[in-house]
Amino acid sequence: MNWLFPRAVAGVMLVLAGAAAGYVAGLALKSPLLLGLLGALASAAVLILLDTLRGHRLLHWLRGNQQGTAPRDAGLWGELGYRIERALRKREQQVAQEQTRLTQFLSAIEASPNGVMMLDPEDHIQWCNRVAAEHFGLDPQRDLQQRVTNLVRAPAFVAYLQGGGSKGSIQFLGARGDVMLSVTVREYGEGMKLVLSQDITERERADRMRRDFVANVSHEIRTPLTVLAGFIETLTNLPLTEVERKRVLSLMAQQTERMQTLVSDLLTLARLEGGPRPPTDVWCDAGQLMAQMEQDAHNLSRGRHRLSFRIEQPSRLAGVESEYFSALSNLVSNAIRYTPEGGSIEVVWRVRPDGSGEFVVKDTGIGIDKEHLPRLAERFYRVDGSRSRETGGTGLGLSIVKHVMQRHGGELDMRSEPGKGSEFRLIVPALRVSVGGAIGGGVKAPAAPAASA
Ligand code: ADP
C-alpha cells in the first residue's frame, strides 16, 4: 500500500500542473478557464495512457509462458507484477513438489511385489505396475486407456469386476497359465477401482503339501489304530487259547511299534525343520560313525546279507553327529530292507578330489525305476507301499536324509537300476570335512574333535 498515497498525490499534482499550465497559456489567449480545464484533462489522459501501457505490458507477460521476471514498473503496476509472479512461482514449486511426490509414490507401488492396477469408472486402465502387467499379461504403456475386460478375459475376473469386487477376493490362473493369482478389487474416489493381485502359487503349493501331509499322517496312524481296535475287540469278546492270545498280543505290539516309529520320524522331521543351522566348528569322527553303523547293520540284517564297511581316509565331519548318523542309518536300513537275502551291501566313506566327502551306500537289492527317483525323498512317497510297511518303513526315511544333508549344506544323490541294486550318496561339503587336521581345501581344523550336539 506504500504506493497509494504518493500515487494519489502525484496524480493530483499532475492534473493541477496541467490545469495551471493551461490557465497560464489561456491568459494570453484570453480564455484561461477553458485552457486550464483542457490542461487538466490532458494531464489525466497522459496518466490513463501510462497506466494502460503498463497494464498492457503485464497482461502481455501473463499471456505468454511467464518465463523470466514480470515487468518491473514502479508503483501499483510494479507491485502487481511482482505479486502475480511470486504467486505463480510458488504454485509452480508446489506442482513440482507434488509431481516428485507422485513419482516417488508410483515408484514405490512399482517396487511392490504385488500387482496394482487403477481403473476408471468404465474399467479403462489408468495405470498399472510391472507386476500387474505380468500377472494379467498387459503392456503397461500400450494398454493404457484400454478396457481391462477386453484384455483380461478370465470369466471369474470379468464377473468379479462387474460385481464391483463385492465378494472379497477371487483366485484364478494368471495370463501365462503358470501362476495362481489372488485378486482383490477396491472402489475409491468416484467409481474408480483399484485392482490388487498377488501370486499365491507358492502359498497354494505349501497349503496343498500341508493338507496332503496331514491326510498322510492321519492315514498312516489310522491303519495301525484300526488293527489295534480290532484286536482289542477280539481279546474282549472271544475266548482265546493261550497260543492265540500270545499271537494277538505280538501283532498288537508290532502295530504299536509301527506307530512309535512313525511318531519318532515325524518328530525328527519337525526338529530338523525348526532346528538351528548345524555348527561348523563341532566335529565328529567318520570312523566312529561307521563303526556304530556297522554294528547296527549286523543286528538288522541278522546274517542275511554280506556287509562291508570301509573308510578310505580317516576324517572328521563338522555338524550334528546324531543327524549324520540318522541319515546314514536310514540309507543302510533301506539297503537291508530292500535287498533280498544273500545280497550284499557296501558302505564306504571317502574324500573326493574337491575336498568334499561322501558316504556311499551300495546294495544289490531290488532297485528302483528311474521314474520314481525324483520323488523318492518326498514325504510318504513309496515305490511299493506294502513292501515298505511290511519291513517297518514309514515313507519318511529319505526325506529325513535329504533334510539332514540340506541343513549341512550337502546333498543326497541317488542312482538305481531295477533288479540290479541302488547306490545312495551322502555328500558332505568340503567346509565340513577335515582330513588330518585340514578342512576340505586345506584350512586347519580344531585339534581335538568335540562331542557332537
Ligand atoms: P520307507 O520307510 O518306505 O523305506 P524311505 O523314504 O526310506 O521310506 O524310502 C522311500 C522309498 O524308496 C521306499 O518306499 C522304497 O520304495 C524306495 N527305496 C529306498 N531305498 C531303497 C533301496 N535301497 N532299494 C530299493 N528301494 C528303495
Side-chain angles (χ1 to χ4, degrees):
M1 295 296 260
N2 55 359
W3 47 264
L4 186 60
F5 184 69
R7 180 181 165 84
V9 171
V12 171
M13 297 277 286
L14 201 68
V15 171
L16 285 179
Y23 185 84
V24 173
L27 286 178
L29 297 173
K30 308 251 189 301
S31 180
L33 280 180
L34 180 66
L35 281 182
L37 186 65
L38 282 176
L41 283 175
S43 298
V46 168
L47 276 179
I48 291 171
L49 192 66
L50 274 175
D51 267 357
T52 309
L53 275 175
R54 286 169 174 175
H56 173 76
R57 278 221 315 257
L58 183 58
L59 208 58
H60 180 71
W61 179 79
L62 276 173
R63 280 187 184 140
N65 54 13
Q66 295 118 37
Q67 291 295 332
T69 51
R72 287 278 179 265
D73 286 314
L76 168 66
W77 293 105
E79 183 160 348
L80 207 58
Y82 166 72
R83 288 194 184 276
I84 291 176
E85 185 191 331
R86 207 173 63 165
L88 270 173
R89 297 289 171 251
K90 204 165 163 189
R91 180 66 52 84
E92 277 170 7
Q93 219 173 16
Q94 277 170 354
V95 170
Q97 276 170 0
E98 292 302 322
Q99 193 65 43
T100 315
R101 217 170 301 163
L102 181 68
T103 314
Q104 283 170 349
F105 180 68
L106 289 180
S107 359
I109 304 182
E110 189 64 63
S112 156
N114 297 329
V116 180
M117 175 160 58
M118 294 165 183
L119 304 178
D120 72 3
E122 274 76 47
D123 294 340
H124 295 130
I125 302 169
Q126 298 302 299
W127 187 85
C128 75
N129 68 357
R130 191 184 40 78
V131 180
E134 254 171 47
H135 284 170
F136 295 108
L138 303 171
D139 183 321
Q141 301 304 325
R142 191 195 58 210
D143 293 335
L144 286 185
Q145 302 306 332
Q146 299 285 326
R147 192 184 286 270
V148 69
T149 43
N150 291 342
L151 305 168
V152 184
R153 293 176 177 274
F157 175 72
V158 175
Y160 175 60
L161 198 65
Q162 278 160 2
S166 50
K167 57 170 186 156
S169 60
I170 50 155
Q171 273 133 42
F172 63 95
L173 269 185
R176 290 203 311 260
D178 56 353
V179 290
M180 184 54 109
L181 296 180
S182 168
V183 173
T184 310
V185 172
R186 289 274 173 274
E187 290 214 354
Y188 72 100
E190 291 187 2
M192 308 280 283
K193 290 184 192 119
L194 189 67
V195 181
L196 304 165
S197 59
Q198 193 184 6
D199 180 350
I200 54 163
T201 320
E202 200 43 45
R203 199 172 78 197
E204 283 277 295
R205 202 181 65 86
D207 279 355
R208 201 170 45 247
M209 273 177 66
R210 211 171 15 249
R211 277 197 303 274
D212 288 354
F213 181 66
V214 172
N216 277 323
V217 171
S218 314
H219 176 75
E220 293 292 332
I221 289 183
R222 198 180 52 195
T223 316
L225 271 183
T226 313
V227 178
L228 278 178
F231 284 145
I232 290 171
E233 206 179 310
T234 311
L235 283 176
T236 319
N237 298 331
L238 294 181
L240 299 179
T241 64
E242 189 53 24
V243 177
E244 285 169 336
R245 209 176 63 86
K246 275 200 177 137
R247 163 111 187 101
V248 166
L249 285 176
S250 125
L251 288 172
M252 284 174 83
Q254 249 178 39
Q255 295 301 325
T256 315
E257 195 182 326
R258 189 173 150 193
M259 277 200 289
Q260 274 170 340
T261 318
L262 177 68
V263 171
S264 145
D265 276 0
L266 285 172
L267 285 175
T268 306
L269 264 181
R271 253 198 317 271
L272 290 176
E273 276 177 351
R277 209 174 146 69
T280 48
D281 55 353
V282 178
W283 298 83
C284 60
D285 188 50
Q288 271 174 22
L289 276 176
M290 286 286 265
Q292 198 182 341
M293 195 63 256
E294 189 170 358
Q295 206 177 344
D296 285 10
H298 280 291
N299 290 340
L300 216 66
S301 163
R302 291 196 303 265
R304 287 173 295 140
H305 309 91
R306 277 191 307 281
L307 304 177
S308 134
F309 284 76
R310 185 160 44 91
I311 292 245
E312 288 192 359
Q313 290 99 343
S315 324
R316 284 176 296 152
L317 311 178
V320 184
E321 183 176 9
S322 59
E323 291 186 16
Y324 281 129
F325 186 75
S326 161
L328 187 60
S329 157
N330 267 302
L331 293 190
V332 173
S333 128
N334 278 353
I336 294 174
R337 285 165 45 226
Y338 297 107
T339 301
E341 198 163 343
S344 56
I345 291 149
E346 189 188 350
V347 185
V348 180
W349 163 259
R350 71 164 73 98
V351 176
R352 309 193 317 169
D354 64 357
S356 61
E358 62 183 12
F359 284 106
V360 185
V361 180
K362 201 168 164 185
D363 65 52
T364 55
I366 58 173
I368 308 156
D369 245 338
K370 221 171 48 210
E371 67 187 74
H372 296 290
L373 289 179
R375 299 196 56 193
L376 222 52
E378 281 177 25
R379 291 164 187 192
F380 297 111
Y381 188 86
R382 292 158 162 129
V383 177
D384 175 353
S386 55
R387 179 168 185 140
S388 156
R389 287 187 190 90
E390 265 168 35
T391 55
T394 58
L396 294 173
L398 289 180
S399 66
I400 291 178
V401 177
K402 192 174 164 194
H403 255 81
V404 167
M405 295 323 290
Q406 277 177 347
R407 276 164 54 74
H408 284 81
E411 55 187 288
L412 164 67
D413 181 55
M414 334 183 209
R415 283 163 218 190
S416 190
E417 218 176 302
K420 290 208 167 153
S422 314
E423 186 176 304
F424 287 78
R425 285 161 193 266
L426 301 180
I427 302 167
V428 184
L431 178 77
R432 291 184 181 273
V433 178
S434 155
V435 186
I439 302 168
V443 187
K444 277 276 175 196
S452 66

